Amino acid sequence: MGDVVIRVEHIGKEYPLGQRERYYTLRDKLAKILRPSSYLKGKTPLSRSGNKISKFWALDDVSFEVRRGETIGIIGQNGAGKSTLLKILSRITEPSKGYVDIAGRLGSLLEVGTGFHPELTGRENIYLNGAILGMKKAEITKKFDEIVSFAEVEKFLDSPVKHYSSGMYVRLAFAVAAHLEPEILLVDEVLAVGDAAFQRKCMGKMSDVAEQGRTIIFVSHNMTALLNLCKRSILLERGRIQCVDSTDRVINAYLSDKGKVDVGGWEKNPRREGAGRIRFKSVEIRNAEGGSSLYPSKPVIFRLGFDGKGDIQSSHVNIGLGINTIFGERVLTLFTKFDQRYRGMNFSFETGTVVKCRVAKLPLTPGTYFLTRYVDIDGEISDRIRDAMELQSHED
């Protein structure tokens, strides 16, 4: 492969809708080789109910190369295929077609807890991960104190990681992935779980790793982080590569497409997530005079329409609005805070419910922003659409 450490050739990944992918054990694979089944040949697979299983391609005909020492970003909306691509590169799942060649020891940080055994302690998981990477015990011990110091989990080092919070998981997982010196490091947007100080710490460490000549593939919605870390990036859209170019050009292409999304198409919005007990029906943003122009020193009124089922106690519901820059940086977050008089009361979120929020001043410098909206019930996301609406802040 020469200087090329990752070569991806025409890979595709197909998933049956409504079914989970099965991950086969070695025993399953041997049985399949010795007793190959032919009952599906020439037939359309059926679900348990007897209906035909429809499928979709999470990735389709994706090809690219990554050279040794390169730091490359992967950009795209939710559902574009970014995480699927990293899982294939990490050998967590296999492509349905095409192939991947990787030259070098690979470490990955894809999801909270990936690669950790929940019953083992933090200390034991550090050695387990090092062994998986092919390192000797002496090599891991040499890096051990540095890993623990970076993760800031000294007090909990001998506790089973199943008792760790998601933030502690990420701290330790990143510290292990970055310090055990894999030649190739894959990082998904899991770093968003950590606090701002820890994210800055991780970005600094990834810059150090890149300067040491190791290869990094970085998935993120934080455009500033991608610009600072990656010279080249890939834009994925609906499982296909739209462009491979310098990071600034790829970001411009992504943001220009982002502005073309039909935010009025609520039901089919590709960014929509959540269980759906309460869902957004409409969002209207107006200034104090009723106009649509927003100004930093003037009041803004948000009117949020909902479509839901039944009454829900106010203390169980949280409604949020997040405002991001065009580079994906969060500059403002608004949460519900019910007046003491209404705490413990039940609220109806049947169709037609409207919640009005008045902000005395919207502290935004003039420019373009994107609004993320979400509602959760007892911490479970009921409805969330990231960057679903464009906002323009004007000079006073």
Side-chain angles (χ1 to χ4, degrees):
M1 294 176 68
D3 242 9
V4 176
V5 293
I6 298 176
R7 176 173 287 122
V8 176
E9 291 287 349
H10 304 291
I11 65 167
K13 182 62 181 179
E14 186 183 43
Y15 287 108
L17 291 173
Q19 288 193 336
R20 291 186 177 182
E21 182 182 17
R22 181 179 176 187
Y23 297 100
Y24 292 96
T25 64
L26 178 59
R27 180 181 176 181
D28 293 328
K29 292 184 177 181
L30 289 173
K32 187 176 180 181
I33 293 170
L34 296 174
R35 293 182 298 167
S37 60
S38 58
Y39 69 95
L40 285 180
K41 288 184 178 178
K43 298 181 180 179
T44 302
L46 302 178
S47 67
R48 290 182 179 179
S49 62
N51 298 321
K52 291 182 179 179
I53 298 174
S54 56
K55 298 183 178 182
F56 83 104
W57 288 92
L59 292 173
D60 189 9
D61 197 27
V62 171
S63 300
F64 62 91
E65 292 181 347
V66 182
R67 298 192 172 277
R68 191 180 312 280
E70 186 175 14
T71 302
I72 190 166
I74 300 180
I75 302 171
Q77 298 176 8
N78 292 336
K82 307 184 299 297
S83 295
T84 300
L85 175 58
L86 261 60
K87 286 179 180 178
I88 290 175
L89 295 179
S90 301
R91 310 297 194 196
I92 292 173
T93 187
E94 296 178 353
S96 304
K97 64 179 181 181
Y99 68 92
V100 176
D101 280 339
I102 296 178
R105 190 165 63 191
L106 185 145
S108 60
L109 182 60
L110 306 186
E111 296 175 0
V112 175
T114 299
F116 279 12
H117 193 294
E119 299 296 335
L120 298 181
T121 65
R123 183 187 304 275
E124 291 165 338
N125 270 293
I126 292 174
Y127 281 95
L128 174 64
N129 273 258
I132 290 171
L133 285 171
M135 298 181 71
K136 295 179 181 179
K137 185 178 180 180
E139 293 179 278
I140 303 169
T141 301
K142 185 178 178 182
K143 293 283 184 179
F144 187 87
D145 289 342
E146 194 176 346
I147 291 170
V148 174
S149 175
F150 187 94
E152 300 174 5
V153 294
E154 293 92 337
K155 294 180 181 179
F156 310 98
L157 195 57
D158 293 306
S159 299
V161 297
K162 67 181 180 180
H163 299 310
Y164 285 18
S165 67
S166 57
M168 290 166 64
Y169 249 124
V170 170
R171 285 176 181 273
L172 187 57
F174 181 85
V176 169
H179 288 82
L180 291 185
E181 300 186 349
E183 294 162 298
I184 303 166
L185 180 61
L186 309 182
V187 182
D188 205 342
E189 50 199 350
V190 67
L191 291 182
V193 175
D195 56 41
F198 181 68
Q199 288 181 38
R200 288 193 295 271
K201 192 174 180 180
C202 290
M203 290 303 300
K205 183 61 183 177
M206 283 198 287
S207 296
D208 293 342
V209 169
E211 288 174 3
Q212 293 167 12
R214 286 183 273 165
T215 306
I216 298 175
I217 295 183
F218 182 40
V219 171
S220 179
H221 281 115
N222 188 325
M223 301 298 129
T224 302
L226 287 162
L227 274 171
N228 290 336
L229 191 66
C230 309
K231 291 184 179 179
R232 191 166 68 105
S233 289
I234 296 170
L235 175 60
L236 280 178
E237 183 178 326
R238 297 180 183 178
R240 288 179 170 269
I241 289 181
Q242 295 303 303
C243 67
V244 182
D245 208 329
S246 62
T247 298
D248 57 341
R249 291 181 180 177
V250 172
I251 288 175
N252 285 335
Y254 170 63
L255 293 175
S256 63
D257 286 341
K258 193 178 189 181
K260 296 174 186 175
V261 173
D262 179 14
V263 296
W266 296 87
E267 295 301 325
K268 297 181 180 179
N269 195 307
R271 302 191 185 102
R272 194 161 207 166
E273 310 166 76
R277 185 177 173 189
I278 302 174
R279 306 195 82 184
F280 287 99
K281 191 71 175 177
S282 63
V283 174
E284 183 180 313
I285 305 173
R286 291 288 182 262
N287 57 35
E289 288 76 36
S292 58
S293 299
L294 307 182
Y295 302 93
S297 64
K298 295 182 179 180
V300 177
I301 298 169
F302 296 88
R303 291 176 58 86
L304 312 174
F306 290 93
D307 184 2
K309 301 174 183 177
D311 293 350
I312 302 171
Q313 198 173 98
S314 63
S315 59
H316 293 233
V317 179
N318 183 42
I319 301 168
L321 298 173
I323 298 177
N324 296 339
T325 68
I326 61 173
F327 295 114
E329 294 176 303
R330 176 61 55 87
V331 293
L332 181 65
T333 302
L334 305 174
F335 290 103
T336 49
K337 185 178 180 182
F338 289 101
D339 189 282
Q340 187 69 41
R341 293 172 295 172
Y342 302 112
R343 290 180 187 173
M345 292 180 62
N346 287 342
F347 285 90
S348 171
F349 280 90
E350 297 291 343
T351 300
T353 299
V354 175
V355 173
K356 186 167 75 171
C357 169
R358 186 180 188 275
V359 181
K361 292 181 180 180
L362 200 63
L364 300 176
T365 58
T368 301
Y369 300 86
F370 289 97
L371 180 74
T372 292
R373 48 208 181 234
Y374 69 90
V375 56
D376 70 60
I377 303 173
D378 290 327
E380 179 187 30
I381 294 295
S382 183
D383 195 22
R384 175 169 58 193
I385 307 177
R386 300 177 191 268
D387 297 334
M389 179 179 288
E390 184 177 308
L391 303 178
Q392 292 289 340
S393 179
H394 303 277
E395 294 275 4
D396 286 324

